[in-house]
């Protein structure tokens, strides 16, 4: 019995360096245009038996624009950043440099008063582990890039600090296969990515 879970990173609503923690802004015009440019490659993933998304406006809008009609999953929400919510990394660093340094260095800490990186990775991983498994079953989940990074760290049983070394681009796809506690990262040839969802 094996499940195939494909994560689609939500389209961006701002330039990368202007990303805010727990950004609840909807897609801007550039984000909509990005979705339209790649839609022909991502629409076939709608054939998945189960389709999910993060609760953010841009994740829901990305999933809807691709025809997934995804079910919102609270477990796929972004990391709770406490009092840093709405700030950029640079803004948080300017206000609390020692707290940001501690947060980046130790995945068990939550100096912002929210959720630790380790708790975030575990939450997303637990969601992945509880998906219904049917042999050959497929799911697609549109999520914030941070959520995709957390899922990958969990699936690969990588050290939590690996999270900072994963670059998940908006509208990229990442697939893991397996079942609870045993996940593999899957790489497909470009022509096979969407045809086999």
């Amino acid at each position: 019995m094996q499940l195939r879970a494909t994560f689609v990173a939500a389209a961006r609503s701002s330039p990368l360096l202007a990303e805010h923690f727990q950004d609840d802004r909807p897609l801007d015009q550039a984000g909509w245009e990005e979705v339209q440019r790649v839609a022909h490659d991502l629409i076939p993933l709608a054939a998945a038996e189960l389709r999910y998304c993060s609760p953010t406006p841009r994740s829901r809008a990305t999933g809807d624009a691709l025809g997934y009609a995804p079910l919102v999953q609270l477990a796929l929400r972004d990391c709770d950043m406490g009092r840093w919510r709405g700030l950029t990394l640079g803004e948080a660093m300017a206000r609390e440099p020692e707290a940001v340094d501690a947060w980046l260095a130790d995945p068990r800490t939550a100096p912002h008063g929210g959720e630790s990186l380790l708790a975030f990775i575990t939450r997303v991983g637990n969601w992945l582990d509880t998906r219904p498994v049917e042999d050959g079953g497929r799911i697609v989940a549109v999520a914030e890039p941070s959520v995709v990074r957390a899922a990958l760290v969990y699936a690969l049983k990588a050290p939590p600090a690996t999270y900072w070394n994963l670059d998940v681009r908006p509208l990229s796809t990442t697939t893991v296969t397996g079942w609870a506690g045993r996940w593999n990262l899957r790489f497909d040839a470009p022509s096979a990515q969407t045809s086999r969802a």
Side-chain angles (χ1 to χ4, degrees), residues 71-94:
L71 177 64
V72 172
Q73 299 286 284
L74 292 179
L76 294 180
R77 67 191 180 281
D78 210 343
C79 187
D80 178 357
M81 297 305 292
R83 67 179 172 277
W84 296 349
R85 181 186 179 123
L87 300 179
T88 65
L89 179 60
E91 290 168 341
M93 182 64 90

Side-chain angles (χ1 to χ4, degrees), residues 24-91:
D24 281 340
R25 290 179 292 170
L27 289 182
D28 60 12
Q29 187 60 38
W32 283 110
E33 290 170 4
E34 285 179 351
V35 172
Q36 296 308 310
R37 276 195 300 273
V38 300
H40 64 281
D41 291 327
L42 298 179
I43 286 174
L45 292 172
E49 288 86 359
L50 298 170
R51 297 169 304 281
Y52 304 107
C53 71
S54 294
T56 60
R58 65 184 181 179
S59 292
R60 292 192 316 263
T62 300
D64 288 342
L66 295 171
Y68 298 170
L71 177 64
V72 172
Q73 299 286 284
L74 292 179
L76 294 180
R77 67 191 180 281
D78 210 343
C79 187
D80 178 357
M81 297 305 292
R83 67 179 172 277
W84 296 349
R85 181 186 179 123
L87 300 179
T88 65
L89 179 60
E91 290 168 341

Side-chain angles (χ1 to χ4, degrees), residues 28-165:
D28 60 12
Q29 187 60 38
W32 283 110
E33 290 170 4
E34 285 179 351
V35 172
Q36 296 308 310
R37 276 195 300 273
V38 300
H40 64 281
D41 291 327
L42 298 179
I43 286 174
L45 292 172
E49 288 86 359
L50 298 170
R51 297 169 304 281
Y52 304 107
C53 71
S54 294
T56 60
R58 65 184 181 179
S59 292
R60 292 192 316 263
T62 300
D64 288 342
L66 295 171
Y68 298 170
L71 177 64
V72 172
Q73 299 286 284
L74 292 179
L76 294 180
R77 67 191 180 281
D78 210 343
C79 187
D80 178 357
M81 297 305 292
R83 67 179 172 277
W84 296 349
R85 181 186 179 123
L87 300 179
T88 65
L89 179 60
E91 290 168 341
M93 182 64 90
R95 292 180 187 187
E96 301 180 55
E98 290 178 5
V100 171
D101 286 344
W103 174 66
L104 293 172
D106 185 351
R108 296 165 298 185
T109 64
H112 44 62
E115 187 176 28
S116 72
L117 179 61
L118 184 58
F120 173 50
I121 291 167
T122 301
R123 170 171 45 86
V124 173
N126 287 340
W127 176 87
L128 182 60
D129 279 349
T130 58
R131 293 310 86 205
V133 178
E134 293 182 19
D135 203 25
R138 298 171 300 164
I139 67 171
V140 64
V142 180
E144 295 301 311
S146 59
V147 173
V148 178
R149 290 161 60 191
L152 287 173
V153 170
Y154 183 86
L156 296 174
K157 298 179 182 174
T162 306
Y163 177 89
W164 304 117
N165 302 108

Side-chain angles (χ1 to χ4, degrees), residues 22 47 51 145 179 190-191:
Q22 288 185 275
R51 297 169 304 281
W179 58 89
S191 61

